Amino acid sequence: MACGGSSNVPVSSFRHAEGGSHASQISADNTIAVVSTIDNGITVWDLTTNEQRFVWQHQDDGNNSVTNIHIAFDNSYVVTSDREAFALWNLNVGEPEGFWRIDESSIRDIAVSNQGRGILVGRGSGKAMFFEPSTGRRLEFLGHQEKINSVDISPNGFYALTGGNDYLAYLWDTRTGQVIHKFEHTSRVTKVSLDDQGRYAFTADSKRDARVWDLVTGNEVSNLQYMARQRIFTVAVFSDDGKYLLTGSPARRINRWDVNTGKELDEWRVSAREGSKPASAVVHSVGFMNESEIISESSSGLLEKWKIENE
């Protein structure tokens, strides 16, 4: 553990999925969690009271295979997807507002902007689709030459970040399809994330490079410093003040980084899934609760809160 480490005992934990989860996301303000459970559909939780608000079914047959979830920055809508279809849900009333099936290729990742105005879909064909449910407008971004692995969208829906197996990540304008910045890697890009305040982008590949970029200039701010030959990231979130980055991995690991230097500041390990051998869990979602506490959701089906001890 870096810098003397942080306590690996959570401050508190709540079970959100008895049998574990396929995917989950915590809202930007840490008040809502949406969990794709293995045995009970999609559940929506109020994190201020830890009460379940809604239970959703993506398909009529009762089998839940939703692996992608994204909550709009303003908590108005949620998009969920399996490999073949995506749904838009109104978070205020808990009802679906649309369900769309993709004919060509598979859905790899998905994101939604404020008020559900725009949905971004990354596909295995290498095409990214930006779709406006209210108007029916659809724009296809054809910049990638191979499958897309990760997407994110700005809260206002004007800017998309996509990364793929062609070693590239693109920041592009959803109104015109024009590329704003191209971020190059030496291996396939496995994770991308936008700072909700519009300052930074995070792009990580399958080997050694996990970079923070300045969204105005397109220049590199830092490259995360770690000893391992490779690290895969499943989630990345910037703090409100822009000083820190919080990441999660498939290997139970949560880390906090200094955005300007790329230095690792803290490490935590989420609880393993019950009965898993070796002990394992995928970190699905993370968030900064305040200056001294973070929050996580993982495939173990647990929401856990952790203390930041290295200031």
Side-chain angles (χ1 to χ4, degrees):
M1 295 186 184
C3 304
S6 288
S7 169
N8 207 47
V9 178
V11 176
S12 60
S13 66
F14 299 95
R15 181 154 302 278
H16 284 171
E18 285 298 330
S21 64
H22 297 300
S24 48
Q25 195 184 22
I26 299 165
S27 63
D29 66 357
N30 304 302
T31 62
I32 298 165
V34 181
V35 182
S36 173
T37 72
I38 288 171
D39 48 19
N40 188 36
I42 302 159
T43 56
V44 181
W45 296 82
D46 182 329
L47 298 186
T48 59
T49 62
N50 205 47
E51 292 178 350
Q52 189 174 284
R53 286 177 58 189
F54 310 116
V55 179
W56 298 334
Q57 294 293 336
H58 206 252
Q59 306 276 22
D60 292 334
D61 60 10
N63 291 324
N64 176 36
S65 54
V66 166
T67 52
N68 299 301
I69 299 170
H70 188 255
I71 304 170
F73 176 74
D74 63 359
N75 291 355
S76 57
Y77 284 86
V78 177
V79 286
T80 59
S81 87
D82 53 28
R83 288 175 61 83
E84 299 168 350
F86 63 94
L88 179 67
W89 307 85
N90 185 314
L91 254 183
N92 294 317
V93 297
E95 295 294 327
E97 291 203 356
F99 188 81
W100 297 269
R101 198 164 289 283
I102 295 283
D103 295 328
E104 174 208 336
S105 186
S106 59
I107 299 172
R108 304 277 297 165
D109 199 11
I110 198 159
V112 64
S113 66
N114 285 349
Q115 297 302 306
R117 281 193 293 263
I119 299 173
L120 179 65
V121 184
R123 292 182 283 180
S125 61
K127 295 177 183 176
M129 179 183 73
F130 177 75
F131 172 61
E132 294 177 348
S134 61
T135 66
R137 175 179 173 260
R138 179 174 158 161
L139 183 146
E140 287 206 332
F141 178 74
L142 306 175
H144 290 282
Q145 302 302 308
E146 293 186 45
K147 75 168 64 165
I148 293 170
N149 295 316
S150 181
V151 306
D152 201 2
I153 198 166
S154 60
N156 64 12
F158 294 160
Y159 304 101
L161 183 63
T162 54
N165 275 5
D166 53 4
Y167 300 5
L168 295 171
Y170 289 103
L171 180 73
W172 50 277
D173 192 313
T174 61
R175 294 160 291 185
T176 63
Q178 294 297 306
V179 172
I180 299 165
H181 296 304
K182 179 169 79 168
F183 305 121
E184 299 186 14
H185 280 261
T186 56
S187 64
R188 59 192 179 89
V189 177
T190 54
K191 187 64 190 174
V192 302
S193 185
L194 284 171
D195 166 30
D196 289 324
Q197 313 294 331
R199 298 161 296 196
Y200 305 113
F202 172 77
T203 65
D205 63 29
S206 58
K207 291 187 179 171
R208 278 308 312 258
D209 287 336
R211 300 176 186 271
V212 175
W213 308 88
D214 184 304
L215 279 185
V216 176
T217 64
N219 294 332
E220 182 182 315
V221 176
S222 61
N223 194 352
L224 302 191
Q225 299 173 29
Y226 48 87
M227 297 296 292
R229 287 166 58 186
Q230 68 175 68
R231 263 206 201 178
I232 299 294
F233 297 92
T234 48
V235 61
V237 174
F238 290 93
S239 61
D240 285 343
D241 62 11
K243 292 180 181 178
Y244 305 109
L245 178 72
L246 202 57
T247 63
S249 83
R252 298 175 56 194
R253 186 184 283 125
I254 302 171
N255 293 97
R256 186 173 68 114
W257 312 82
D258 184 299
V259 164
N260 286 321
T261 65
K263 184 180 177 183
E264 182 182 317
L265 303 174
D266 299 275
E267 181 170 299
W268 301 265
R269 293 287 180 102
V270 301
S271 298
R273 208 163 133 187
E274 283 184 27
S276 62
K277 292 181 181 175
S280 65
V282 178
V283 180
H284 289 319
S285 191
V286 292
F288 290 93
M289 292 287 289
N290 48 54
E291 291 183 357
S292 61
E293 208 171 39
I294 66 161
I295 191 170
S296 67
E297 281 270 7
S298 72
S299 62
S300 63
L302 289 173
L303 172 90
E304 295 177 292
K305 295 180 182 178
W306 310 86
K307 194 157 188 62
I308 297 173
E309 296 180 348
N310 298 316
E311 282 304 313

